[in-house]
């Protein structure tokens, strides 16, 4: 974290326990001002708990939370200048769309008229002006979602919290909302903290991602870093598709590590700090960074037999089995079909890793 | 209550169109025997002439209603003046029942909210606890209450023993005693519908309100209460209507000065002193009042329905 960017939300050694169960173990992270920050992890990893602690719906068992320098973890939710978009929207069923959006402003002491004006502006932002006088139940899921967003944005919060807001939408609407959310975030300049279990969504939308598992922070970084330089098995496996190979490190020179696989196969890759000679570790290699060829293109090419080809729209996934019996997947972009050969099932081919693509994992 | 029956019929599938008529027969039968027939009987009796030893003479007369609303002097030949005696009894009863309803709501709502917010497994137990006293007959409970509240009763003895008071509190034969009796008789009718409504309430809405800067009080008033309003209205009706016609609590706990409709009607049918047509007329007037209240409720419900 650099000193010149302001920290919006600073979570310091936050612990959350429910009786004997520890939901969050000593999480510390700083969320920068004006950032689209994502908490990513499988269900039960503690991401929603952390979000709810920032909103004030859950007590902090230990540790502290600062909002732009002010300690807030003891304040009740209605005194925290943050707003939440709830997973199932939680729109007030007895109020119109306009009343829903204006509710926060009214509670902040604005006059009804002023709240209405601002609420109407917010509805314009989410393109729902024509539905202002409807009741939430008369709207589609996507429209309700946008009302929830407008309602949370209306009081101009310092930080907007979004708890899996897109999970109830269908694929297509979801993609459209992802773009719209990102757009609104940039336009308003509000810090967004977004919770999701969908790694693709996290990669598309975020400035930075905190990957969580079992109540612990696994890795914090920009989407690209997390995708290309996963720190451990969990992150490598959870983010995107990957091939995990068990290897033994034979030799570590300055920046390369020579590794051997079962069955006498060998290959080399970039060394990673903390992985020493003799260590038995996993090597992660993304399927799209493997190349298939008829002949070996170097010392690191591995011979394999094609099991099958799977067509997945933009790509073709080729499933192969190495000489030592491990399976490996290679993804070839469909646009490259002309320049690259597609091997049929049963044929032999050589698999080569792109330089710098393989990553040794510490655990 | 009133709104439910009307809306459900249209959605039934036509598969049973032929049989539906027959399947509904038991309900019609019950309604006929227990609702339509007694009300019709009462309506007819209210327009008959009274016989002095109870019972009626089968001769049309408006005498019962006339007696309720007008005073024609001792010999019945003075010009009619509005007689406030019975109207006042009705008015006092409405007031008493209204007060009992408010009291039940003030205690019943927090109770229902408390039960609905317990962990799911203990909720059934709490509801069970609330209903235990109602396994005992209402008469016995009311008599016990009289015993508890009287000047030399256990409650006063206890309060004097603890030194909270020096002289016994005079509760029996007061409005307060009637209120306590009504409250105790009908509290579960307030608690249960509100509990059902709060249990269905989506508590994320309260979180959303708090998130949008609403205080606890504002959340209650602006979000929770509107959401559980049907349950509150149902509870109020279920307490108000029987309180209005109650005669055990006013009779046993209230004494002569706190005479209510229920007792007035009861007297007309008791022993030889009664006046059946007058009792029937008073019952019809009470029924009309209750119907008006229910219609207001039904309209309210329909309005809520439109909003959904």
């Amino acid at each position: 974290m650099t000193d010149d960017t302001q920290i919006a939300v600073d979570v310091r050694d936050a612990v959350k326990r429910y009786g004997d169960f520890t939901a969050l173990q000593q999480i510390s992270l700083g969320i920068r001002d004006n950032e689209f920050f994502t908490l990513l992890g499988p269900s039960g990893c503690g991401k929603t708990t952390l979000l709810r602690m920032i909103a004030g719906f859950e007590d902090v068992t230990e540790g502290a939370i600062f909002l732009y320098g002010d300690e807030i973890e003891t304040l009740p939710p209605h005194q925290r200048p943050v707003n939440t978009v709830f997973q199932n929207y939680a729109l007030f069923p007895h109020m119109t769309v306009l009343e829903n959006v204006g509710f926060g402003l009214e509670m902040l002491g604005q006059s009804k008229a002023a709240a209405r004006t601002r609420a109407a502006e917010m509805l314009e932002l989410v393109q729902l002006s024509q539905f202002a006088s409807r009741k939430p139940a008369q709207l589609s899921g996507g429209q309700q979602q946008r009302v929830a967003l407008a309602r949370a944005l209306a009081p101009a919060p310092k930080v907007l919290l979004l708890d899996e807001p897109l999970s109830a939408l269908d694929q297509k609407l979801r993609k459209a909302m992802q773009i719209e959310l990102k757009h609104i975030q940039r336009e308003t300049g509000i810090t967004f903290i977004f919770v999701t279990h969908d790694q693709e969504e996290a990669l598309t939308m975020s400035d930075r991602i905190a990957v969580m598992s079992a109540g612990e922070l696994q890795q914090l970084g920009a989407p690209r870093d997390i995708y290309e330089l996963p720190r451990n098995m969990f992150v490598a496996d959870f983010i995107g598709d990957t091939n995990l190979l068990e290897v033994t490190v034979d030799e570590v020179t300055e920046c390369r590590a020579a590794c051997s696989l079962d069955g006498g196969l060998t290959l080399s890759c970039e060394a990673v700090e903390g992985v020493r000679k003799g260590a038995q570790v996993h090597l992660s290699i993304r399927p799209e960074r493997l190349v298939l060829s008829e002949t070996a293109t170097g010392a690191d090419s591995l011979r394999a037999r094609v099991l099958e080809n799977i067509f997945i729209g933009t790509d073709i996934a080729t499933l192969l089995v190495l000489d030592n019996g491990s399976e490996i997947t290679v993804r070839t972009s469909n646009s490259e079909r002309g320049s690259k050969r597609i091997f049929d099932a049963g044929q032999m081919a050589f698999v080569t890793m792109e330089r710098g693509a393989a990553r040794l994992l510490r655990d | 209550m009133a709104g439910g029956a009307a809306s459900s019929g249209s959605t039934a599938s036509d598969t049973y169109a032929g049989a539906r008529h027959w399947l509904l027969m038991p309900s019609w039968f019950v309604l006929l025997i227990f609702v339509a027939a007694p009300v019709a009987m009462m309506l007819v009796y209210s327009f008959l002439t009274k016989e002095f030893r109870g019972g009626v003479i089968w001769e049309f007369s408006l005498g019962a209603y006339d007696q309720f609303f007008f005073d024609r002097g001792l010999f019945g030949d003075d010009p009619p003046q509005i007689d406030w005696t019975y109207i006042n009894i009705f008015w006092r009863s409405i007031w008493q029942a209204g007060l009992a309803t408010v009291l039940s709501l003030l205690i019943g709502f927090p109770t229902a909210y408390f039960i609905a917010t317990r962990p799911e497994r203990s909720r059934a137990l709490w509801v069970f606890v609330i209903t235990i006293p109602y396994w005992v007959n209402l008469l016995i409970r009311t008599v016990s209450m009289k015993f508890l509240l009287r000047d030399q009763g256990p409650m006063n003895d206890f309060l004097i023993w603890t030194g909270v008071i020096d002289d016994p509190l005079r509760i029996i034969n007061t409005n307060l005693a009637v209120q306590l009796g009504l409250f105790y008789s009908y509290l579960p009718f307030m608690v249960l519908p509100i509990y059902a409504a709060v249990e269905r309430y989506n508590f994320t809405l309260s979180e959303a309100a708090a998130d949008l800067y609403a205080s606890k009080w504002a959340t209650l008033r602006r979000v929770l209460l509107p959401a559980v309003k049907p349950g509150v209205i149902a509870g109020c009706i279920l307490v108000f209507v029987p309180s209005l016609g109650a005669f055990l609590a006013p009779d046993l706990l209230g004494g002569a000065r706190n005479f209510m409709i229920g007792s007035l009607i009861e007297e007309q049918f008791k022993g030889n002193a009664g006046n059946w047509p007058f009792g029937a007329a008073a019952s019809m007037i009470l029924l009309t009042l209750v119907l008006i209240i229910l219609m207001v409720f039904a309209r309210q419900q329909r309005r809520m329905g439109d909003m959904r």
Side-chain angles (χ1 to χ4, degrees):
Chain A
M1 223 140 302
T2 49
D3 286 331
D4 53 320
T5 42
Q6 208 189 348
I7 301 297
V9 177
D10 192 3
V11 179
R12 290 191 201 158
D13 298 321
V15 176
K16 177 69 190 176
R17 282 191 214 101
Y18 298 99
D20 291 338
F21 174 70
T22 307
L24 273 190
Q25 352 212 358
Q26 287 234 337
I27 296 260
S28 288
L29 45 85
I31 295 157
R32 294 172 194 155
D33 186 30
N34 207 352
E35 164 172 66
F36 198 117
F37 190 90
T38 298
L39 295 168
L40 172 67
S43 62
C45 72
K47 57 191 191 297
T48 296
T49 306
L50 181 56
L51 192 83
R52 290 173 59 82
M53 280 157 74
I54 297 170
F57 304 133
E58 305 278 353
D59 301 332
V60 179
T61 313
E62 276 169 35
I65 298 173
F66 292 84
L67 183 75
Y68 290 94
D70 300 324
E71 197 164 348
I72 57 162
E73 83 273 0
T74 51
L75 293 179
H78 69 273
Q79 288 173 15
R80 301 189 189 196
V82 298
N83 290 127
T84 307
V85 177
F86 291 86
Q87 187 168 7
N88 295 310
Y89 320 139
L91 298 175
F92 305 127
H94 55 285
M95 296 183 200
T96 64
V97 165
L98 193 71
E99 285 166 346
N100 261 284
V101 177
F103 185 82
L105 299 161
E106 252 186 82
M107 290 299 121
L108 281 173
Q110 290 200 11
S111 70
K112 262 211 158 95
R116 256 159 206 274
T117 313
R118 167 84 176 154
E121 277 171 33
M122 283 294 122
L123 284 179
E124 211 160 296
L125 179 72
V126 296
Q127 295 151 34
L128 280 179
S129 298
Q130 68 271 40
F131 298 113
S133 56
R134 296 232 189 142
K135 290 274 156 52
Q138 295 169 304
L139 301 181
S140 71
Q143 290 165 339
Q144 290 186 24
Q145 154 78 89
R146 302 224 294 274
V147 175
L149 181 66
R151 185 179 69 172
L153 284 170
K158 287 184 171 171
V159 174
L160 188 75
L161 309 173
L162 303 104
D163 183 10
E164 307 218 19
L166 307 181
S167 61
L169 304 180
D170 63 60
Q171 179 77 6
K172 207 156 184 169
L173 201 53
R174 207 179 159 130
K175 296 268 182 219
M177 273 310 289
Q178 287 176 4
I179 295 165
E180 198 170 329
L181 269 181
K182 185 79 195 156
H183 175 77
I184 287 173
Q185 193 265 331
R186 239 179 282 131
E187 200 160 288
T188 56
I190 293 172
T191 308
F192 276 35
I193 305 178
F194 186 86
V195 161
T196 184
H197 62 265
D198 182 337
Q199 45 94 17
E200 206 183 316
E201 193 167 276
L203 292 174
T204 335
M205 302 175 75
S206 320
D207 292 323
R208 286 194 309 153
I209 299 172
V211 185
M212 292 175 66
S213 161
E216 282 181 282
L217 184 63
Q218 302 294 330
Q219 188 167 0
L220 176 65
R224 192 162 190 144
D225 291 341
I226 286 187
Y227 187 77
E228 290 181 350
L229 304 169
R231 245 184 53 186
N232 59 29
M233 271 273 282
F234 176 83
V235 177
D237 199 28
F238 190 73
I239 310 285
D241 295 324
T242 196
N243 293 295
L244 289 169
L245 300 171
E246 278 178 52
V247 298
T248 309
V249 181
D250 295 331
E251 193 68 64
V252 181
T253 57
E254 266 167 61
C255 53
R256 303 283 299 169
C259 309
S260 60
L261 287 72
D262 284 352
L265 304 176
T266 61
L267 47 79
S268 68
C269 61
E270 254 98 291
V272 167
E273 200 189 307
V275 177
R276 298 180 191 288
K277 183 177 166 177
Q280 292 208 312
V281 290
H282 281 90
L283 180 142
S284 162
I285 171 82
R286 301 284 178 195
E288 70 274 18
R289 308 215 45 192
L290 288 166
V291 183
L292 288 180
S293 56
E294 261 170 278
T295 52
T297 54
D300 288 341
S301 294
L302 301 171
R303 210 164 67 107
R305 187 163 50 83
V306 177
L307 290 177
E308 63 179 317
N309 285 303
I310 300 158
F311 176 74
I312 31 178
T314 53
D315 292 347
I316 289 177
T318 310
L319 195 63
L320 306 104
V321 58
L322 297 178
D323 280 352
N324 67 358
S326 336
E327 287 189 3
I328 193 162
T329 307
V330 178
R331 262 175 109 138
T332 313
S333 164
N334 255 332
S335 61
E336 292 177 294
R337 242 189 335 191
S339 60
K340 284 187 183 159
R341 207 190 130 186
I342 300 298
F343 293 82
D344 293 325
Q347 284 187 310
M348 299 304 288
F350 282 90
V351 180
T352 312
M353 298 182 288
E354 279 177 24
R355 209 171 162 74
R359 172 110 172 137
L360 288 175
L361 304 172
R362 270 175 295 194
D363 48 15
Chain B
M1 285 168 89
S7 58
S8 56
S10 57
T11 55
S13 108
D14 276 335
T15 317
Y16 302 107
R20 196 188 302 154
H21 195 65
W22 294 105
L23 289 172
L24 281 173
M25 281 296 280
S27 323
W28 284 117
F29 190 68
V30 167
L31 283 175
L32 184 74
I33 300 239
F34 293 109
V35 181
V39 170
M41 252 164 80
M42 216 159 61
L43 186 67
V44 170
Y45 269 62
S46 72
F47 288 108
L48 294 179
T49 308
K50 76 166 174 178
E51 225 223 313
F52 277 98
R53 292 178 196 158
V56 288
I57 300 166
W58 282 80
E59 213 170 90
F60 178 80
S61 156
L62 286 172
Y65 291 94
D66 188 82
Q67 185 188 345
F68 190 94
F69 289 110
F70 299 111
D71 181 7
R72 289 174 192 275
L74 194 56
F75 302 104
D77 47 10
D78 291 357
Q81 277 183 313
I82 289 188
D83 180 357
W84 293 101
T85 319
Y86 302 118
I87 297 172
N88 276 340
I89 291 176
F90 264 56
W91 175 240
R92 190 163 62 229
S93 302
I94 290 171
W95 191 81
Q96 282 273 24
L99 196 64
T101 308
V102 171
L103 197 67
S104 299
L105 181 62
L106 287 179
I107 305 286
F109 189 89
T111 310
Y113 187 89
F114 172 83
I115 298 174
T117 50
R118 288 316 94 193
E120 207 162 333
R121 264 190 292 167
S122 55
R123 277 181 225 160
L125 183 72
W126 282 107
V127 171
F128 178 72
V129 167
I130 288 279
T131 53
I132 283 179
Y134 300 87
W135 298 3
V136 176
N137 180 284
L138 178 64
L139 175 64
I140 295 173
R141 271 186 287 137
T142 312
V143 173
S144 315
M145 194 132 179
K146 188 184 173 85
F147 170 77
L148 276 171
L149 294 179
R150 66 188 178 154
D151 294 356
Q152 272 84 43
M155 194 193 76
N156 271 316
D157 286 351
F158 177 77
L159 288 177
I160 291 170
W161 178 73
T162 54
V164 178
I165 50 171
D166 295 327
D167 296 309
L169 292 173
R170 303 210 167 273
I171 295 177
I172 209 75
N173 294 345
T174 63
N175 262 337
L176 179 65
V178 179
Q179 283 302 316
L180 284 173
L182 291 175
F183 167 76
Y184 181 54
S185 302
Y186 302 119
L187 182 66
F189 297 125
M190 183 63 85
V191 172
L192 295 178
I194 297 179
Y195 160 70
V198 176
E199 200 194 21
R200 268 179 290 135
Y201 173 70
N202 173 10
F203 280 91
T204 316
L205 294 180
S206 291
E207 282 188 354
D211 190 64
L212 293 162
Y213 314 107
S215 62
K216 287 229 162 86
W217 172 245
T219 303
L220 174 74
R221 209 172 54 82
R222 297 287 304 269
V223 178
L224 176 66
L225 272 182
V228 301
K229 196 166 156 195
V232 172
I233 294 176
C236 287
I237 284 180
L238 288 178
V239 172
F240 182 77
V241 170
S243 296
L244 195 57
F247 60 89
L248 275 180
D251 260 12
L252 293 172
L253 303 170
R257 276 185 304 126
N258 296 292
F259 206 65
M260 281 173 65
I261 314 175
S263 314
L264 175 71
I265 294 171
E266 186 209 5
E267 262 188 7
Q268 308 309 319
F269 295 97
K270 230 164 57 176
N272 290 340
N275 179 344
W276 288 15
F278 182 69
S283 299
M284 286 313 294
I285 292 164
L286 176 62
L287 188 74
T288 311
L289 267 174
V290 169
L291 270 180
I292 289 169
I293 293 163
L294 284 180
M295 271 158 65
V296 169
F297 170 65
R299 259 178 70 176
Q300 185 92 24
Q301 288 286 76
R302 219 173 16 249
R303 270 225 311 278
M304 298 279 296
D306 290 344
M307 274 160 44
R308 296 269 154 85

